[in-house]
Amino acid sequence: MCGIFGVSGSTPAVPLIAAGLKKLEYRGYDSSGIAVNGEKGIWLCKSAGSLSHLEKKLNQSAPPLSSVGIGHTRWATHGKATDLNAHPFLSADGMFAVAHNGIIENYTGLKAFLSEKGFSFVSDTDSEVVPMLLEYFYDGDVLKAIRRAVSELEGAFSLAIITSHAPDCVFAARKDSSLAIGCGKGCSFVSSDIPALSGFAEQCCIPDENSVAVLRKGEIKLFDRQGNRTAPSFKPTGECGGDAEKGDFPFFMLKEIFSQPRCLTDAAAQFTDGKRLKKILFSDEEANAFNRVKLIGCGSAYHAGVAGKNFIERLAGSRACGRVPLSGRTLRRKNSRPVYKSERGNRGHPVCAAARQSKGSGNSRRRKHPFEQHCARSRQDGAHARGHGNSSCHYKGLHNAGAVFVCRRAFAGQGSRNAARLRGALRKRHAERSPRRAGDA
């Protein structure tokens, strides 16, 4: 659930980046950092823990008054939450700094290749290979180096880059990961989410897959994978800002719970025409060849998939879903094709992926997951299905959404008390929004 925020403008970048990272706190993180282009090269400040730790370091130092920089909030995947593993990362020569969201699936091979070329790594992350690749490919053309580096990366990722070779620019690239760019008030911005741009950018857009954006003061250029100039399609950002704020809710999680009917409806709208699926995902022939749909996820998304499996099979009247696998075990499975994927921390997207399999793939006999057994015993909308361990799940039939699957995690210690407070707030809010009908017991 990492977050990226970058700016190229006319005022000091560090305060703007710090404010932008605060708008991304809802994504979850365990470390943060800021890098800016200074007169003596790239200046870097990183810290494990909350943004308050980073702000303390910033107050104790003297950041350059540069107007170009990037920031990042990291949710640890490769390596522990430490200062060294926090983003942004520098190249070996200190000329490139990169903030990265997502996962570089082939980083071990790239790391071995770069190590043979004399590059040294200081972190445990997959992300550090990116600035090293940029240094390796740089031959005087920054844009060309970025395109070549991105072409070598496998996985889903978004990148924000600054370099001393182009001190007035922020570069951004994405592949299967959320990233937004915007402009306003003489500045250009890049962020993981559109809502975080609210209050900074007046106009915003989502770059195309595998494209590279070049952000300068009040100017944004987009280039496709071949290096051809493309025109960005901007839209106003004002109405999107509420998603980055808690509003009247005491917790972000509670707000997300009550936002799910709208999120699911909006996500499904592009694939449906009234009550029928549009023929944009697959043809009638392909649909008739389906023999299974899989709901795939990790963490709480896995438990949402288990609950969703039970709901879909009750509607279909058959075992249409089979077991719910963990996503890491399914991404490369033969005869499967992802239909819709969500990103870590990408609010407003479905929490699970649908995949198809060819006929004859089979389904081995297995023992049901305890959470699945609980879901199977719930036969009415509004029933409460509780899982084992440290997770719980509610699902309710709500208007315009079909069903909403709400997963949350109850951590030990203080987290359990917070979960109890959340449950109380959820019951109170649901009672306020769902008055009893005449004749209800």
Side-chain angles (χ1 to χ4, degrees):
M1 296 186 182
C2 306
I4 287 174
F5 195 89
V7 60
S8 177
S10 55
T11 59
V14 170
L16 289 174
I17 296 171
L21 293 180
K22 275 192 169 295
K23 287 201 166 192
L24 292 168
E25 280 191 296
Y26 69 91
R27 294 171 68 91
Y29 67 101
D30 48 41
S31 60
S32 57
I34 291 176
V36 296
N37 265 326
E39 293 181 358
K40 299 180 179 180
I42 295 176
W43 181 88
L44 185 66
C45 183
K46 306 194 290 186
S47 177
S50 66
L51 281 173
S52 61
H53 293 93
L54 179 65
E55 290 171 347
K56 185 176 180 180
K57 281 191 173 184
L58 293 173
N59 292 332
Q60 293 173 349
S61 60
L65 297 178
S66 167
S67 58
V68 177
I70 56 175
H72 189 268
T73 53
R74 173 183 184 248
W75 185 276
T77 53
H78 297 80
K80 297 180 180 179
T82 64
D83 290 2
L84 279 178
N85 288 335
H87 296 223
F89 287 106
L90 292 176
S91 57
D93 60 4
M95 300 296 284
F96 290 90
V98 176
H100 161 235
N101 283 2
I103 293 178
I104 309 299
E105 295 181 2
N106 62 332
Y107 85 98
T108 52
L110 293 173
K111 193 170 184 178
F113 169 79
L114 291 167
S115 296
E116 291 177 358
K117 299 296 181 181
F119 289 88
S120 298
F121 296 83
V122 298
S123 76
D124 303 317
T125 70
D126 56 334
S127 308
E128 197 179 1
V129 301
V130 182
M132 303 301 183
L133 274 178
L134 292 171
E135 178 183 340
Y136 177 75
F137 284 127
Y138 179 70
D139 60 359
D141 187 334
V142 175
L143 197 58
K144 180 181 175 183
I146 293 174
R147 291 203 315 271
R148 292 188 66 184
V150 168
S151 69
E152 295 293 333
L153 303 178
E154 296 178 4
F157 54 84
S158 53
L159 307 170
I161 304 163
I162 58 172
T163 174
S164 298
H165 298 300
D168 63 333
C169 296
V170 173
F171 300 86
R174 66 180 288 261
K175 178 189 174 187
D176 297 329
S177 183
S178 61
L179 192 73
I181 55 177
C183 58
K185 303 175 182 177
C187 299
S188 298
F189 301 91
V190 60
S191 177
S192 302
D193 282 342
I194 290 178
L197 295 176
S198 177
F200 299 103
E202 298 164 357
Q203 303 283 324
C204 68
C205 81
I206 306 236
D208 292 334
E209 292 287 314
N210 298 300
S211 63
V212 178
V214 182
L215 286 66
R216 289 187 175 90
K217 175 185 175 181
E219 179 188 23
I220 295 178
K221 295 180 180 179
L222 282 179
F223 299 87
D224 62 20
R225 66 175 72 191
Q226 286 80 29
N228 301 316
R229 181 89 177 265
T230 60
S233 178
F234 287 104
K235 66 178 182 179
T237 58
E239 66 271 14
C240 303
D243 287 343
E245 308 293 339
K246 287 188 290 187
D248 296 331
F249 294 89
F251 315 105
F252 275 118
M253 185 178 290
L254 187 61
K255 178 185 177 181
E256 290 169 4
I257 288 171
F258 282 93
S259 297
Q260 287 191 54
R262 173 181 58 82
C263 291
L264 289 172
T265 302
D266 292 345
Q270 58 184 307
F271 300 114
T272 60
D273 183 8
K275 295 183 178 181
R276 299 182 63 84
L277 283 174
K278 296 179 181 178
K279 297 179 182 180
I280 57 176
L281 295 177
F282 36 75
S283 64
D284 290 340
E285 292 76 13
E286 289 178 309
N288 291 331
F290 291 171
N291 86 323
R292 188 179 305 162
V293 174
K294 288 193 174 180
L295 307 178
I296 304 164
C298 280
S300 56
Y302 167 79
H303 295 289
V306 174
K309 168 188 177 296
N310 178 65
F311 180 79
I312 291 172
E313 289 184 345
R314 283 194 286 128
L315 287 177
S318 65
R319 288 181 57 82
C321 293
R323 69 176 301 177
V324 178
L326 292 172
S327 60
R329 301 174 183 173
T330 312
L331 289 176
R332 300 299 182 193
R333 187 159 293 179
K334 188 177 181 181
N335 294 327
S336 294
R337 182 186 71 176
V339 174
Y340 209 88
K341 296 185 291 184
S342 69
E343 313 294 342
R344 292 177 302 161
N346 191 3
R347 305 301 190 246
H349 280 209
V351 294
C352 52
R356 66 169 186 171
Q357 282 196 328
S358 62
K359 290 185 177 180
S361 58
N363 185 27
S364 58
R365 295 180 62 85
R366 64 175 183 89
R367 183 180 179 182
K368 282 189 176 181
H369 189 282
F371 187 87
E372 197 173 355
Q373 296 174 10
H374 277 264
C375 288
R377 286 196 289 266
S378 300
R379 297 302 179 191
Q380 296 179 353
D381 288 343
H384 177 205
R386 173 162 303 216
H388 287 243
N390 291 332
S391 296
S392 60
C393 175
H394 293 232
Y395 67 95
K396 300 177 183 295
L398 297 180
H399 67 284
N400 295 331
V404 174
F405 305 105
V406 178
C407 292
R408 59 179 181 265
R409 191 166 185 175
F411 297 96
Q414 181 64 38
S416 296
R417 290 189 287 275
N418 287 339
R421 292 170 57 203
L422 177 61
R423 285 194 294 272
L426 177 63
R427 293 191 188 100
K428 180 179 178 181
R429 189 126 188 150
H430 184 69
E432 292 173 352
R433 294 194 174 192
S434 305
R436 289 190 174 187
R437 295 169 297 182
D440 284 352

